[in-house]
């Protein structure tokens, strides 16, 4: 699955959200599977962490939820990461 296909599937969940970018890093990370950068509106997915598309989409949906939360909240939302 490529980044355009991931974005297309995420937009099926909410196509009214602000524009965003999906980037497959081509890397493996021991710390995180994905990240969301609110200032750039970028979802980064460490795609070498995954052996199947469903797991990668789970991470993409999680990061997309951060995007929707931060961009659509009526009150300011901290972009501080969570555990």
């Amino acid at each position: 699955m490529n980044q355009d296909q991931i974005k297309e599937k995420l937009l099926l969940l909410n196509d009214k959200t602000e524009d965003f970018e999906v980037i497959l890093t081509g890397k493996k990370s021991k710390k995180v599977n994905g990240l969301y950068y609110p200032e750039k509106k970028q979802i980064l997915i460490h795609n070498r962490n995954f052996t199947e598309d469903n797991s990668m989409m789970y991470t993409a949906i999680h990061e997309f939820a951060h995007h929707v939360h931060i961009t659509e909240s009526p009150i300011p939302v901290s972009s501080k990461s969570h555990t």
Side-chain angles (χ1 to χ4, degrees), residues 18-81:
E18 288 185 32
D19 195 29
F20 63 97
E21 186 177 12
V22 174
I23 299 171
L24 300 180
T25 66
K27 297 178 181 178
K28 187 170 190 152
S29 171
K30 292 181 180 181
K31 294 183 179 181
V32 296
N33 290 327
L35 299 160
Y36 176 65
Y37 289 110
E39 65 282 351
K40 298 177 183 178
K41 295 183 176 70
Q42 290 180 334
I43 295 172
L44 270 61
I45 307 290
H46 296 305
N47 53 304
R48 297 223 180 215
N49 283 12
F50 305 99
T51 58
E52 57 182 43
D53 287 346
N54 284 342
S55 298
M56 186 164 49
M57 275 307 301
Y58 179 88
T59 296
I61 291 168
H62 175 91
E63 300 306 334
F64 182 61
H66 288 301
H67 171 71
V68 171
H69 180 224
I70 289 170
T71 60
E72 296 184 15
S73 176
I75 57 173
V77 177
S78 171
S79 61
K80 189 175 179 178
S81 64

